[in-house]
C-alpha cells in the first residue's frame, strides 16, 4: 500500500504550452461545501457521505474545502495535522484514497494540516481513480490580515509556505492547484495557463470580510484573464471556530461567467464542464496572439518616463 503515497508534481518543464483537449471533454464536477466540527471522525464521515452522494449524481471530479478535517483555527491545526508519510497516522488520506478508488473518481482533497520534518503545511492532496496520491500542493501564499475592528489573522505564525506550483494530469484534464489566498496572485494562474491547464481548483476559506468584497471577483478574474475554468470550494459558514467563512463555492467558465454557485450553508453543488468552451473562447478572443510581450519586457527592464 505504500505506493499509494508516491507523489510527483508535474514540473513546469514537463508541461506542454499549447492547449490540448483531454480524452474526457465533458463531465460533472462536484463542490462539497462541508460543515466542519471539532470532531475529526465526524468530519471524515461527512466528507465520505458527500463523496458518495456526488458520485451517485454522476460527478467525475470532486473538490473538497480548505481545512475540512478540522476547524479553521490555529488552536486546531497542529492537533489535527497528519504525517502523510505514515499511513497509520493519516486517517484522512486513507479515507480519500479509498473513496477515490472505490468510486473511480478524481478527488481534489481540499486542504489538510500536514506535519513534515517538524514543520506544518497547509496541503492539498490529489487522488486519481485508482486511489493513488498523484500530487500534493502546499499553500504558497500564506494569509496574513489585520483589519481593525473586523479580523486579525496571521497564517504565517503557524504554517510554512510551500515553494512549488502544482500541475497534475488526470482522467479529467490537466489541473492546476491553488489554496485560498493563492487565488489573489494572478501570476500563478497565468503560469498555469501557459502550461496547458484546463481548470484551476482552489479549495478556500475566505472570511466574511474579504469574501463579500473579493471572492467572486477574483475567481472571475482568474478565469476570464486566462480563458479557462476555475473551481472553488469553501467550508460552510456554520462551521465551528472563531474564523467565520464566507462559503459560496463556485464554478466559473472561461469567459468569466458563473456556471454554478452555492449559498453559505452546507451543500454540494454539481455542474457540467465542457472543455470545448475553452477553445471557443480562445478562438473568438485570441488573447495570446494579442499580447505585447515586446512592450512588457521593455517596461520591465527600463524605468518608465515620468
Amino acid at each position: 500500500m505504500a505506493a499509494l503515497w508516491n507523489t510527483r508534481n508535474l514540473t513546469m518543464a514537463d508541461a506542454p504550452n499549447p492547449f490540448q483537449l483531454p480524452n474526457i471533454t465533458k463531465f460533472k464536477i462536484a463542490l462539497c461545501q462541508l460543515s466542519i466540527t471539532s470532531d475529526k471522525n465526524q468530519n471524515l464521515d461527512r466528507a465520505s457521505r458527500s463523496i458518495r452522494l456526488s458520485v451517485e449524481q454522476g460527478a467525475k471530479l470532486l473538490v473538497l474545502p480548505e481545512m475540512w478535517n478540522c476547524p479553521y483555527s490555529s488552536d486546531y491545526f497542529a492537533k489535527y495535522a497528519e504525517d502523510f508519510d505514515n499511513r497509520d497516522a493519516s486517517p484522512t488520506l486513507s479515507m480519500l484514497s479509498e473513496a477515490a478508488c472505490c468510486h473511480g473518481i478524481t478527488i481534489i482533497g481540499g486542504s489538510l494540516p500536514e506535519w513534515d520534518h517538524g514543520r506544518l503545511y497547509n496541503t492539498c492532496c490529489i487522488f486519481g481513480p485508482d486511489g493513488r496520491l498523484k500530487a500534493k500542493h502546499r499553500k504558497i501564499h500564506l494569509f496574513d490580515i489585520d483589519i481593525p475592528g473586523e479580523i486579525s489573522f496571521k497564517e504565517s505564525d503557524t504554517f510554512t509556505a510551500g515553494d512549488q506550483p502544482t500541475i497534475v494530469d488526470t482522467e479529467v484534464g490537466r489541473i492546476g492547484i491553488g489554496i485560498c489566498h493563492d487565488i489573489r496572485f494572478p501570476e500563478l494562474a497565468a503560469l498555469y495557463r501557459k502550461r496547458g491547464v484546463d481548470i484551476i481548483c482552489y479549495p478556500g476559506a475566505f472570511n466574511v470580510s474579504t469574501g463579500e468584497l473579493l471572492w467572486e471577483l477574483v475567481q472571475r478574474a482568474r478565469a476570464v484573464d486566462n480563458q479557462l475554468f476555475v473551481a472553488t470550494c469553501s467550508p460552510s459558514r456554520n462551521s465551528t471556530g472563531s474564523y467565520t467563512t464566507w462559503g459560496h463555492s463556485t464554478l466559473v467558465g472561461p469567459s468569466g461567467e458563473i456556471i454554478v454557485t452555492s449559498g453559505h450553508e452546507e451543500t454540494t453543488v454539481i455542474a457540467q464542464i465542457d472543455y470545448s468552451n475553452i477553445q471557443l473562447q480562445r478562438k473568438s478572443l485570441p488573447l495570446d496572439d494579442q499580447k505585447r510581450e515586446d512592450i512588457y519586457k521593455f517596461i520591465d527592464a527600463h524605468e518608465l518616463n515620468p
Side-chain angles (χ1 to χ4, degrees), residues 13 42 86 92 104 107 123 140 143-144 150 152 154 159 163 169 193 208 213 232 253 263 265 268 273 277 297:
Q42 187 177 30
N86 184 350
T92 307
I107 294 179
T123 303
I140 298 172
F143 182 61
D144 291 352
E150 293 191 38
S152 181
K154 196 171 183 181
F159 290 107
D163 59 6
D169 281 324
R193 157 72 192 266
V208 291
L213 288 171
T232 61
E265 71 285 348
T268 296
I273 285 179
N277 289 333
K297 291 177 182 178

Side-chain angles (χ1 to χ4, degrees), residues 244-263:
T244 306
T245 53
W246 177 240
H248 298 276
S249 302
T250 303
L251 176 67
V252 182
S255 61
E257 77 281 13
I258 294 180
I259 297 172
V260 69
T261 189
S262 71

Side-chain angles (χ1 to χ4, degrees), residues 220-258:
R220 298 182 70 183
R222 298 298 87 81
V224 73
D225 282 351
N226 297 289
Q227 299 176 306
L228 43 67
F229 287 89
V230 166
T232 61
C233 189
S234 167
S236 69
R237 194 177 303 175
N238 60 337
S239 300
T240 302
S242 58
Y243 183 96
T244 306
T245 53
W246 177 240
H248 298 276
S249 302
T250 303
L251 176 67
V252 182
S255 61
E257 77 281 13
I258 294 180

Side-chain angles (χ1 to χ4, degrees), residues 159-211:
F159 290 107
T160 298
D163 59 6
Q164 291 187 41
T166 304
I167 298 173
V168 56
D169 281 324
T170 74
E171 299 290 323
V172 288
R174 174 162 288 175
I175 300 175
I177 304 295
I179 299 174
C180 199
H181 198 46
D182 286 339
I183 200 173
R184 292 296 308 274
F185 299 87
E187 297 86 353
L188 180 62
L191 183 151
Y192 287 158
R193 157 72 192 266
K194 289 179 181 179
R195 297 301 183 255
V197 159
D198 308 305
I199 180 171
I200 307 176
C201 293
Y202 294 99
F206 267 50
N207 64 80
V208 291
S209 298
T210 57

Side-chain angles (χ1 to χ4, degrees), residues 25-131:
T25 60
K26 291 184 181 180
F27 61 91
K28 288 183 179 180
I29 184 173
L31 311 174
C32 299
Q33 186 164 285
L34 304 175
S35 178
I36 314 303
T37 73
S38 57
D39 185 327
K40 186 174 186 178
N41 289 331
Q42 187 177 30
N43 295 333
L44 296 185
D45 288 342
R46 269 193 173 138
S48 180
R49 182 169 62 252
S50 294
I51 292 170
R52 176 176 54 80
L53 293 174
S54 298
V55 171
E56 290 176 357
Q57 296 180 69
K60 293 296 183 182
L61 174 63
L62 183 140
V63 188
L64 293 173
E66 181 182 20
M67 289 296 157
W68 62 269
N69 77 341
C70 71
Y72 195 91
S73 168
S74 56
D75 295 333
Y76 291 92
F77 294 145
K79 179 181 176 181
Y80 285 68
E82 299 182 7
D83 178 356
F84 295 174
D85 291 328
N86 184 350
R87 183 177 177 85
D88 294 333
S90 300
T92 307
L93 259 67
S94 294
M95 186 280 284
L96 292 175
S97 173
E98 291 167 6
C101 184
C102 175
H103 299 298
I105 60 170
T106 298
I107 294 179
I108 311 299
S111 81
L112 313 166
E114 175 200 9
W115 276 120
D116 185 28
H117 294 91
R119 293 185 175 184
L120 199 60
Y121 296 91
N122 186 341
T123 303
C124 175
C125 296
I126 301 91
F127 289 88
D130 58 0

